[in-house]
Amino acid sequence: MSVRTDADLVRAAQSGDVASFELLYAKYVPVVHAILLGRLPPADADDVAQNVFITAYTKLQSLREPAAFAGWIARSARNAAEDHRRKMSDTVELEDAYVTHETQRDDAEAARALDAIRALPAAYRETLILRLVEGMTGPEISARTGLTPGSVRVNLHRGMQMLRGALGGSTP
Amino acid sequence: MNDDYLWDGSGEPDAEVQKLEGLLGRYRSAAPMPDFKRVAVIRRRPRWPFAVAAASIVCAILGAIRFYTPANRWRATDESGVADVPHAILRAGDVVRTERGSVRLQSPAVGTIDLGANTTVRLIENRSKRHRLALAAGTIHAKTTSPPGVFVIDTPKARAIDLGCEYTLTITPGGGGELHVIAGWVDLTHGYEQSLVPQGASAMITSDGALSVPVFDDATPAFHAAVRDHDVSTIVAHARMRDAFTLLNLFCLATPDERMLLYDRLNQLVPAPASITRESVRYWAPSSTELWWTPVLRASGINALKKKKGALQGL
């Protein structure tokens, strides 16, 4: 059975085949969610991720190079995160959103770990969230982000090194 | 340290990574997949027909004249003496209940809204660029002169955006209802669904918020019933020339086989532009039928709005 490439799926979706877009959604929602989780409160990341895909679906005809879907959807997610942050800037600070209101020990530890990841440079931050939150392996991250396997491996290694330092040499 | 476990989960497990996986897994993406079939509905409309643009300009001019007066107040007049009207000049948040009577709401910026018996309405906004009422249940008859998009009615399941200039909207206690447009256009929306209803047509709102396509009031009863039941075979059998507008609206809701039926009948009524073939609409996208809108609007008599400025000005 042949594997349908992103370009195949995008072209089919542009012709009205909703099922093809749903396959693209399933493949890339972890990537979009990881990008958003690195920038927004967890409670908002799911909603904004849905909006990113809905907007992408309505604008899919404007994607002239179907093979570029991965980069296009990632850019959309980063832009959506910035838009959302601007809208939320006068309401709730990120830290307050998930630290103050979570009292269980594990929740607080998780929030602290996520906070530490969010303080890392973007390349390490997104790669580590894909690995530690979304549960993807390095090869899967490489396939869905367009980064080379070598870059992903370096990002994971250096990111984890910085994370260990930020968390005080051990997990929280 | 060996990074194999961090890389692909192989090799000797790294305790710190394992603990972080356990802690952070709670943040994993959990949102349900959006219903992209419904999202497609928002794209089914073409660019606004020229007729809408012409009607909009007329309404904008009329609205602008009124706009430079102290226009944002809403005056409520209890015409029956039995209604519950909190203030003669309504404030945002005020609720008007007509009970067995009737009430007239008037705003220089918008026009006149008559509330029928057993109608409950709340004034939500009365700003210069947005006047919004919530219709919980009952019937309103709106005659507006405001620019398109300024006057909005929220119902429990849908939103009616006035594009000018006269319509009735009935909402049942269950949240369903019917919009009937007497003049101009009304944009009926629910989430990503949209039904753009022209003069002389109606659209239904079901109790779960689904919107019907617009159907002209003078269509045959069999056609009305078939649209309501989504019986495409019967729809095409009873479609007249004027119903071409309804047929074209139905493509986005139809299955590929149903689209073949719709194509064949619509092509008989209004020959398709050369670029729109039978196969090109089987897997329909909004662009598939874009070029068909202008001849269909003309065949359905909708662009006649352009020539009926008198009707609009008289409101």
Side-chain angles (χ1 to χ4, degrees):
Chain A
M1 192 174 71
S2 65
V3 177
R4 296 173 74 193
T5 64
D6 285 357
D8 294 336
L9 294 172
V10 169
R11 275 191 283 268
Q14 284 175 328
S15 301
D17 181 6
V18 176
S20 291
F21 193 80
E22 288 173 344
L23 292 174
L24 289 166
Y25 174 90
K27 183 174 177 183
Y28 286 103
V29 71
V31 177
V32 167
H33 186 261
I35 290 169
L36 297 170
L37 190 61
R39 292 163 167 80
L40 301 176
D44 292 349
D46 278 332
D47 287 346
V48 179
Q50 284 194 321
N51 288 337
V52 166
F53 278 97
I54 288 167
T55 303
Y57 185 67
T58 60
K59 294 184 174 174
L60 196 61
Q61 302 292 342
S62 69
L63 178 58
R64 292 184 181 174
E65 180 47 69
F69 181 82
W72 184 68
I73 197 76
R75 266 197 312 280
S76 301
R78 292 186 186 107
N79 292 338
E82 286 310 306
D83 288 347
H84 191 76
R85 282 178 65 140
R86 271 197 294 274
K87 286 179 194 162
M88 300 295 291
S89 60
D90 58 351
T91 54
V92 181
E93 290 299 319
L94 297 186
E95 289 184 356
D96 292 342
Y98 66 89
V99 175
T100 308
H101 302 298
E102 292 179 343
T103 55
Q104 297 297 316
R105 184 169 169 275
D106 279 358
D107 288 346
E109 285 188 2
R112 187 175 154 232
L114 183 59
D115 199 26
I117 293 174
R118 293 214 277 213
L120 300 177
Y124 303 155
R125 180 200 314 160
E126 290 173 9
T127 311
L128 273 184
I129 292 177
L130 285 166
R131 174 68 185 86
L132 299 174
V133 177
E134 307 295 343
M136 294 167 66
T137 65
E140 287 171 337
I141 295 169
S142 170
R144 293 186 205 183
T145 59
L147 294 170
T148 64
S151 295
V152 173
R153 192 151 197 158
V154 167
N155 288 348
L156 285 174
H157 176 80
R158 291 185 183 162
M160 191 64 205
Q161 211 170 24
M162 293 175 74
L163 181 60
R164 287 183 215 271
L167 294 175
S170 64
T171 47
Chain B
M1 181 180 291
N2 189 327
D3 273 348
D4 285 348
Y5 183 78
L6 179 62
W7 170 242
D8 62 3
S10 67
E12 184 182 345
D14 179 323
E16 282 187 288
V17 173
Q18 277 189 317
K19 182 169 184 187
L20 285 166
E21 287 176 308
L23 281 173
L24 294 170
R26 74 197 60 210
Y27 296 124
R28 190 167 296 173
S29 169
M33 184 187 299
D35 185 349
F36 292 110
K37 289 191 180 73
R38 289 173 79 88
V39 175
V41 174
I42 198 172
R43 302 190 307 160
R44 75 177 191 243
R45 304 295 180 212
R47 290 183 295 273
W48 295 109
F50 291 123
V52 177
S56 300
I57 290 167
V58 172
C59 289
I61 293 169
L62 291 173
I65 292 169
R66 295 285 188 95
F67 231 61
Y68 293 101
T69 61
N72 296 329
R73 294 187 310 180
W74 282 88
R75 177 177 293 281
T77 306
D78 178 1
E79 299 180 323
S80 57
V82 298
D84 178 6
V85 178
H87 305 99
I89 303 297
L90 295 180
R91 303 166 186 170
D94 277 353
V95 176
V96 175
R97 295 183 180 85
T98 60
E99 311 295 350
R100 288 169 290 107
S102 61
V103 170
R104 168 164 284 192
L105 306 181
Q106 285 176 294
S107 162
V110 173
T112 302
I113 315 299
D114 288 318
L115 313 183
N118 300 313
T119 296
T120 301
V121 159
R122 183 161 59 95
L123 175 62
I124 301 175
E125 284 181 89
N126 58 331
R127 297 182 291 112
S128 60
K129 291 183 178 174
R130 174 57 67 92
H131 289 256
R132 190 154 59 100
L133 301 177
L135 172 61
T139 298
I140 66 150
H141 180 122
K143 257 182 160 179
T144 67
T145 53
S146 48
V150 167
F151 180 57
V152 172
I153 297 276
D154 283 341
T155 77
K157 300 295 181 184
R159 167 173 284 187
I161 302 169
D162 174 71
L163 303 177
C165 293
E166 184 175 2
Y167 62 92
T168 61
L169 178 60
T170 299
I171 297 296
T172 66
E178 181 174 7
L179 169 73
H180 171 58
V181 179
I182 298 160
W185 293 75
V186 175
D187 185 12
L188 194 61
T189 66
H190 170 245
Y192 299 106
E193 285 191 61
Q194 180 190 42
S195 192
L196 183 61
V197 187
Q199 173 176 323
S202 298
M204 307 294 294
I205 308 164
T206 67
S207 56
D208 63 359
L211 307 179
S212 77
V213 296
V215 180
F216 283 108
D217 298 326
D218 57 6
T220 66
F223 187 82
H224 276 280
V227 171
R228 189 176 57 242
D229 299 338
H230 193 75
D231 176 356
V232 175
S233 300
T234 306
I235 288 171
V236 298
H238 289 83
R240 314 157 301 159
M241 176 68 80
R242 187 163 156 77
D243 299 322
F245 180 69
T246 301
L247 297 187
L248 191 49
N249 272 287
L250 279 165
F251 273 92
C252 66
L253 302 176
T255 64
D257 287 342
E258 289 171 343
R259 288 186 193 127
M260 298 298 94
L261 295 174
L262 290 170
Y263 179 93
D264 290 341
R265 179 59 178 146
L266 185 54
N267 193 36
Q268 287 174 345
L269 296 170
V270 184
S275 61
I276 303 178
T277 63
R278 201 166 184 270
E279 278 309 306
S280 72
V281 301
R282 179 184 291 276
Y283 296 103
W284 179 90
S287 58
S288 308
T289 46
E290 179 77 28
L291 295 176
W292 218 341
W293 282 100
T294 300
V296 164
L297 287 169
R298 192 177 301 123
S300 300
I302 296 174
N303 59 355
L305 267 176
K306 277 195 296 189
K307 300 172 186 171
K308 293 187 177 176
K309 291 181 181 175
L312 299 174
Q313 287 164 341
L315 296 174

